[in-house]
Amino acid sequence: MLDDGLRKTFRWTLYTDGAIIIVLGVLGALGRMFSAISPPTVMGVGLLAESLNYFVPYMALKNSKFRPVWLAAFGVIDVVFAALFLLRVGLLLFSLPVLIGLWMIFAACLRAYMAYSNRRAGISKWWITAVSCAYMIFASAAMMAGAAQPMSLLSWNALVMTGVFIINEGRKLFG
């Protein structure tokens, strides 16, 4: 079982991650009202913030017995997709809904690994992460299904709901 310091670290990492994703969804939805907000730039900056949110605890836990690889993996995926958004390379290859959907699929795959790691570590409510993973796959598929049009309000809402699921993970798993 995890000690209180690790539980607190993981809880606040997930809280911060969920809050960042909620802010990304809200700013993306408001982007239609404010032309100064560029959704790809907001996504890129948000994903950079998320990567720091995962790399900092990973580095801080270097002397810990339980240093999960999923912290570093989330950080790497977020940095890669942040670069795709900020450099606009991803938008040359994919539409915005497809690129966000791809990020969500990669994040969902890491959530599946996180659920498996949590189960092996003896965390009793590991299945909450699996539910979060399933929602992210469903939401990304729905988002990418309408890839011909610009991001709809429901697509941005999928990010907000993803953030709520992640905050709930932190609360239930490590609370």
Side-chain angles (χ1 to χ4, degrees), residues 103-118:
W103 167 72
M104 287 179 75
I105 288 172
F106 276 96
C109 290
L110 286 173
R111 290 233 173 278
Y113 176 72
M114 181 181 164
Y116 173 73
S117 295
N118 288 343

Side-chain angles (χ1 to χ4, degrees), residues 24-25 28-29 32 39 43 95-101 104 143-144 146-159:
L24 290 175
R32 294 173 183 237
M43 285 297 298
S95 65
L96 184 61
V98 170
L99 191 57
I100 294 174
M104 287 179 75
M143 188 181 301
M144 291 190 296
Q149 294 114 22
M151 290 282 286
S152 68
L153 190 58
L154 288 175
S155 294
W156 291 114
N157 187 39
L159 282 177

Side-chain angles (χ1 to χ4, degrees), residues 9-89:
T9 299
F10 295 145
R11 181 176 60 237
W12 281 103
T13 299
L14 291 174
Y15 284 172
T16 307
D17 183 29
I20 291 170
I21 293 174
I22 289 171
V23 168
L24 290 175
V26 169
L27 288 177
L30 292 176
R32 294 173 183 237
M33 295 173 18
F34 305 107
S35 61
I37 298 175
S38 166
T41 303
V42 170
M43 285 297 298
V45 170
L47 290 176
L48 279 179
E50 273 197 41
S51 67
L52 286 175
N53 182 49
Y54 282 109
F55 280 137
V56 168
Y58 183 74
M59 294 305 189
L61 295 173
K62 68 181 176 186
N63 296 326
S64 174
K65 287 186 276 184
F66 186 74
R67 184 182 187 198
V69 175
W70 53 262
L71 283 171
F74 273 116
V76 169
I77 291 298
D78 288 343
V79 164
V80 168
F81 275 91
L84 289 174
F85 280 108
L86 289 173
L87 300 175
R88 307 276 199 249
V89 173

Side-chain angles (χ1 to χ4, degrees), residues 93-145:
L93 303 171
F94 306 106
S95 65
L96 184 61
V98 170
L99 191 57
I100 294 174
L102 286 173
W103 167 72
M104 287 179 75
I105 288 172
F106 276 96
C109 290
L110 286 173
R111 290 233 173 278
Y113 176 72
M114 181 181 164
Y116 173 73
S117 295
N118 288 343
R119 184 169 185 252
R120 275 193 353 199
I123 297 171
S124 62
K125 295 184 180 178
W126 61 269
W127 55 269
I128 293 173
T129 303
V131 169
S132 208
C133 168
Y135 172 78
M136 288 177 77
I137 290 172
F138 170 76
S140 65
M143 188 181 301
M144 291 190 296

